[in-house]
């Protein structure tokens, strides 16, 4: 019996490693390739050498220009794309679990519209980078708070009512964005507002990474820690309570963590749609609906997806293509294809 058990255990370990290795290795490979890809190309071996030299404090035989491009220009942007993609994807997966609806995205409660209005207002009044980011986070959180507060006025169908209230609040802030665009200077402020709303990492810097990286990582960690409890929410509120989980309280804190993650991501990148909607479905198709696997799969695939999109955005044309255009043009057909697959694995 012992002799039969060891090969079985070893085989299971190999299968587990084979399943999870791509999720760990793919972001690392893409990071190295992305750091070298651009109008100033750098070979992958040189990229690794520069990274290792900076980690160890050694002085490599590299041109100063090459090291500056890798460490000061591309590295913050590449890390930002990985972080934002992971945050939006994990938030989307969490929202889909909370609302038990595969068509839910991180923007369902109006956070994108609220953050967009906050950024547009700050651009109109001051156009200071830190004010734009702070205003986007503040109004994004305000939009979700309004949606949640409005839903509390009703005593039945809380989940459905919360979604509908999110749509109402989102529509309200969208109308305010239109008002801001109407009164903005068409030669100065309006182009900046429109470009920001389409999403971009063109001006991403180390300060942006320091500013929003911490809250995004904390939000992802919070969702990671309750990933197994999200499986219980899929059974329904009454079943979750019977298993010892207070469904209402858990939903509240999941929404808070996902909202903070989404609002901070939007504040530094603009509105980048489809990542939090499409990637969780792809992760579900590849790794199943169990949130113990779905959350880490969404994290890795979301970061890789947005990094690839950002690489295309900065290399396809002379001027950068906004990320929102690429994520929509690629995400829409991918999502249509996913809809054709066995209910997206949702009912499995």
């Amino acid at each position: 019996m012992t002799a039969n058990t060891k090969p079985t255990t070893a085989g299971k370990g190999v299968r587990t490693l084979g399943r999870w290795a791509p999720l760990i290795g793919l972001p690392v490979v893409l990071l190295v390739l992305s750091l070298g890809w651009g109008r100033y190309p750098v070979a992958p071996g040189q990229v690794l050498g520069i990274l290792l030299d900076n980690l160890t404090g050694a002085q490599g035989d590299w041109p100063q220009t090459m090291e500056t491009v890798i460490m000061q220009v591309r590295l913050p942007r590449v890390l930002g794309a990985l972080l934002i993609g992971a945050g939006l994807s994990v938030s989307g997966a969490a929202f889909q679990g909370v609302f038990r609806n595969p068509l839910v995205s991180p923007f369902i409660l109006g956070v994108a519209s609220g953050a967009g209005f906050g950024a547009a207002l700050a651009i109109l009044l001051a156009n200071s980078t830190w004010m734009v980011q702070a205003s986007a986070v503040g109004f994004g959180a305000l939009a979700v708070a309004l949606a949640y507060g409005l839903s509390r006025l009703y005593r039945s169908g809380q989940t459905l009512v919360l979604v509908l209230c999110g749509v109402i609040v989102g529509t309200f802030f969208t109308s305010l964005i239109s008002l801001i665009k109407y009164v903005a200077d068409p030669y100065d402020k309006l182009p900046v507002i429109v470009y920001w709303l389409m999403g971009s990492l063109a001006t991403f810097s180390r300060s942006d990474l320091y500013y929003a990286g911490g809250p995004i990582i904390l939000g992802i960690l919070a969702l990671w820690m309750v990933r197994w409890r999200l499986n219980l929410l899929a059974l329904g509120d009454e079943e979750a309570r019977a298993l010892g989980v207070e469904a209402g309280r858990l939903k509240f804190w999941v929404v808070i963590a996902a909202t903070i993650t989404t609002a901070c991501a939007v504040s530094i990148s603009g509105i980048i749609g489809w990542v939090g909607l499409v990637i969780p479905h792809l992760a579900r198709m590849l790794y199943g609906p169990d949130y113990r696997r779905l959350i880490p799969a969404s994290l890795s695939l979301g970061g890789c997806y947005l990094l690839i999109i950002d690489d295309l955005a900065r290399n396809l044309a002379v001027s950068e293509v906004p990320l929102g255009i690429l994520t929509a043009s690629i995400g829409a057909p991918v999502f249509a294809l996913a809809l054709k697959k066995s209910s997206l694995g949702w009912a499995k």
Side-chain angles (χ1 to χ4, degrees):
M1 182 179 296
T2 304
N4 293 334
T5 303
K6 288 184 178 179
T8 303
T9 304
K12 184 178 180 180
V14 171
R15 289 194 299 271
T16 302
L17 180 61
R19 169 174 287 190
W20 292 110
L23 296 181
I24 300 173
L26 185 59
V28 176
V29 172
L30 286 177
L31 182 144
V32 174
L33 294 178
S34 298
L35 288 175
W37 188 24
R39 292 179 177 84
Y40 186 89
V42 181
Q46 292 176 313
V47 171
L48 288 173
I50 292 173
L51 293 176
L52 289 175
D53 285 348
N54 278 268
L55 286 175
T56 59
Q59 295 292 329
D61 187 19
W62 318 107
Q64 185 61 40
T65 301
M66 182 182 296
E67 186 169 346
T68 301
V69 167
I70 296 298
M71 298 304 300
Q72 303 297 327
V73 179
R74 291 181 185 169
L75 183 59
R77 179 167 180 167
V78 167
L79 293 177
L82 286 170
L83 189 61
I84 293 168
L88 292 176
S89 183
V90 169
S91 298
F95 273 120
Q96 289 170 9
V98 166
F99 296 114
R100 302 172 62 193
N101 190 327
L103 299 179
V104 168
S105 76
F107 302 149
I108 189 64
L109 297 183
V111 63
S113 300
F117 169 73
L121 182 63
I123 292 172
L124 180 67
L125 298 179
N127 200 18
S128 171
T129 300
W130 73 268
M131 287 189 65
V132 171
Q133 294 175 348
S135 182
V137 171
F139 278 96
L142 176 62
V144 175
L146 289 175
Y148 187 79
L150 188 61
S151 71
R152 300 295 293 176
L153 299 177
Y154 303 87
R155 296 186 178 276
S156 60
Q158 284 296 321
T159 300
L160 177 59
V161 170
L162 181 57
V163 172
L164 294 177
C165 291
V167 173
I168 293 171
V169 172
T171 302
F172 172 72
F173 277 108
T174 299
S175 67
L176 293 182
I177 292 175
S178 298
L179 178 62
I180 294 291
K181 291 161 68 175
Y182 178 76
V183 301
D185 184 346
Y187 301 104
D188 181 22
K189 301 291 188 179
L190 182 58
V192 178
I193 293 173
V194 172
Y195 189 76
W196 190 95
L197 292 173
M198 290 190 291
S200 175
L201 294 176
T203 60
F204 197 87
S205 63
R206 285 180 179 269
S207 61
D208 295 324
L209 192 61
Y210 298 149
Y211 165 77
I216 293 176
I217 292 174
L218 289 177
I220 292 175
L221 287 176
L223 297 174
W224 179 290
M225 292 175 63
V226 299
R227 62 192 185 280
W228 68 272
R229 295 175 182 265
L230 291 172
N231 288 325
L232 302 181
L233 291 181
L235 302 175
D237 292 358
E238 294 183 2
E239 288 79 1
R241 292 191 187 96
L243 294 171
V245 174
E246 180 56 47
R249 183 178 301 174
L250 176 60
K251 287 182 179 180
F252 175 79
W253 287 113
V254 168
V255 168
I256 292 296
T259 297
I260 292 174
T261 303
T262 303
C264 289
V266 171
S267 72
I268 55 177
S269 66
I271 300 175
I272 304 175
W274 290 91
V275 178
L277 177 62
V278 175
I279 298 303
H281 289 311
L282 295 180
R284 191 175 290 109
M285 292 169 61
L286 294 173
Y287 289 88
D290 188 342
Y291 273 86
R292 291 174 297 178
R293 297 191 298 267
L294 182 59
I295 291 295
S298 298
L299 186 152
S300 177
L301 294 177
C304 291
Y305 174 70
L306 190 59
L307 180 55
I308 293 173
I309 292 294
D310 186 55
D311 288 341
L312 294 175
R314 61 187 174 89
N315 289 288
L316 281 179
V318 176
S319 60
E320 286 201 16
V321 181
L323 296 179
I325 295 176
L326 291 177
T327 55
S329 59
I330 295 175
V334 169
F335 189 61
L337 180 62
L339 284 174
K340 195 176 180 180
K341 304 288 185 181
S342 63
S343 300
L344 302 170
W346 190 259
K348 292 182 179 180

